[in-house]
Amino acid sequence: MPRLSVRHVTAYTYAEPVGFGDHRLMVRPRDSHDLRLLEATLAIDPPPERIRWLHDVFGNSVAVASFGEARSTTLRFESRLLLDLYQANLPEYQVADYARTYPFSYEAEEVPDLARTMERHYADPEHAVDLWAKGFVRVDGPTDTYDLLTWMTRAIQTTFTYAARDEEGVQTPVETLSRGTGSCRDLALLMMEAARSLGFAARFVSGYLYSPDADGTGNVGGGSTHAWCQVYLPGAGWVEFDPTNGITGNRDLIRIAVARDPAQAAPLQGSFVGPAGAFQSLVVDVTVTDASSE
């Protein structure tokens, strides 16, 4: 059980003093059986007039900062977390007997709650994603559900090129499939839509990644927020799959927010009031370190 420290800084600069609209932040995880939050602080400069907390439709913890009449050439957010992460790998999850081989059907009482996460959200007119996903289903006998999702996760890791992107939004799954490259959120969305095409319920996860190897041979995607997906498996619940790093289970993954679509899980959203050309730069810096010995 590692104890991890997270520091997440987002800093904006402007050419002249500007005002600020409300800013919506998702930087605080919820306590769970696999994550225990020990400390959490949030510092904002200039200080907001008010911060209010709420839970969104998915149960994520959201802070809304209101700045009133404040004006500044900079806006900086710094979140610090200290937490214990109880790690589990895929084989440790106990899938219900009826769902251990694919295909299977979710139980009737679960379907109404899973329905929107089972729906395809992005167009696939040539069925490229469909055909790619079906390639992981065995034709010579039953397909083990674990194996199918593990093969898909590792295939994305090994055959697609990870590329960090500063642009907002995501590539469509068809674009990622055709280009063979994408950011962590693009790769997560591809796996979500591929899993949905096979009848699985899948959702997007935003959070942080611990990369323990300082020589660069470990996980990729650190230094900023990270994204992966969850697939709902009867008996096991929502299980993490990180196709960027080939991780099955929650090892090294710090979950902050879950959502039906990536746009609903943005770590920070807001606006400024001033000339359109006033914006100069945005810098995001995330560090996740082992705090077990502290």
Side-chain angles (χ1 to χ4, degrees), residues 162-230:
Y162 166 75
R165 290 194 303 108
D166 294 330
E167 299 91 346
E168 293 184 0
V170 291
Q171 296 176 169
T172 69
V174 170
E175 289 173 330
T176 300
L177 194 60
S178 63
R179 294 174 183 175
T181 184
S183 66
C184 57
R185 60 189 184 275
D186 301 324
L187 302 179
L189 181 59
L190 170 62
M191 180 161 178
M192 285 170 56
E193 287 288 281
R196 287 169 173 170
S197 78
L198 296 177
F200 290 100
R203 63 187 186 184
F204 186 83
V205 189
S206 177
Y208 304 115
L209 174 71
Y210 175 52
S211 185
D213 298 320
D215 61 1
T217 60
N219 299 321
V220 299
S224 186
T225 54
H226 190 55
W228 59 98
C229 70
Q230 292 179 332

Side-chain angles (χ1 to χ4, degrees), residues 153-170:
T153 303
R154 293 177 180 167
I156 295 174
Q157 179 204 17
T158 57
T159 61
F160 288 75
T161 302
Y162 166 75
R165 290 194 303 108
D166 294 330
E167 299 91 346
E168 293 184 0
V170 291

Side-chain angles (χ1 to χ4, degrees), residues 37-177:
L37 182 61
L38 305 175
E39 297 177 12
T41 61
L42 177 61
I44 304 175
D45 185 38
E49 187 176 81
R50 182 178 67 150
I51 298 179
R52 60 187 179 93
W53 291 87
L54 57 95
H55 288 107
D56 68 7
V57 68
F58 304 106
N60 301 312
S61 185
V62 179
V64 180
S66 301
F67 293 89
E69 301 301 318
R71 298 180 69 83
S72 177
T73 57
T74 61
L75 179 60
R76 185 178 187 274
F77 301 86
E78 180 173 347
S79 168
R80 289 181 178 265
L81 306 172
L82 182 66
L83 53 91
D84 289 336
L85 182 64
Y86 298 84
Q87 298 185 344
N89 296 317
L90 185 59
E92 298 176 35
Y93 294 95
Q94 299 299 309
V95 175
D97 289 343
Y98 73 88
R100 289 183 180 177
T101 58
Y102 176 85
F104 65 88
S105 297
Y106 292 115
E107 293 186 344
E109 60 266 27
E110 293 180 323
V111 170
D113 298 306
L114 296 174
R116 292 307 309 277
T117 59
M118 295 170 66
E119 293 176 3
R120 300 286 294 278
H121 287 46
Y122 293 81
D124 184 17
E126 304 299 325
H127 302 286
V129 176
D130 291 337
L131 293 172
W132 182 80
K134 289 177 181 177
F136 298 98
V137 180
R138 294 181 58 175
V139 296
D140 58 349
T143 302
D144 184 89
T145 302
Y146 276 152
D147 289 346
L148 188 161
L149 295 168
T150 299
W151 294 334
M152 186 180 292
T153 303
R154 293 177 180 167
I156 295 174
Q157 179 204 17
T158 57
T159 61
F160 288 75
T161 302
Y162 166 75
R165 290 194 303 108
D166 294 330
E167 299 91 346
E168 293 184 0
V170 291
Q171 296 176 169
T172 69
V174 170
E175 289 173 330
T176 300
L177 194 60

